[in-house]
Amino acid sequence: MYVPDREQDLRWIRRAINLASLCPLAAGTYSVGAVILDGSGTALTAGNSELERLA
């Protein structure tokens, strides 16, 4: 089982915060970033709550 140390935790938290900061500001929305890790600590996916713009 993967047991992260503090520096690894901070690295992934900073990545999620950075992803959240890429979301455009819009009334009534939240900026969310996330990184999903597998059991060995490898990132499986990452993303944010950026809304698709409708034409």
Side-chain angles (χ1 to χ4, degrees):
M1 181 174 144
Y2 172 69
V3 180
D5 63 28
R6 179 175 167 77
E7 289 304 313
Q8 289 169 320
D9 281 344
L10 291 174
R11 176 179 156 220
W12 293 120
I13 290 168
R14 286 185 190 112
R15 174 73 175 131
I17 291 169
N18 179 263
L19 287 167
S21 74
L22 298 175
C23 296
L25 297 177
T29 64
Y30 296 96
S31 296
V32 177
V35 180
I36 307 299
L37 307 177
D38 68 10
S40 67
T42 301
L44 297 175
T45 190
N48 63 22
S49 60
E50 182 176 0
L51 299 173
E52 290 185 28
R53 302 212 188 275
L54 301 176

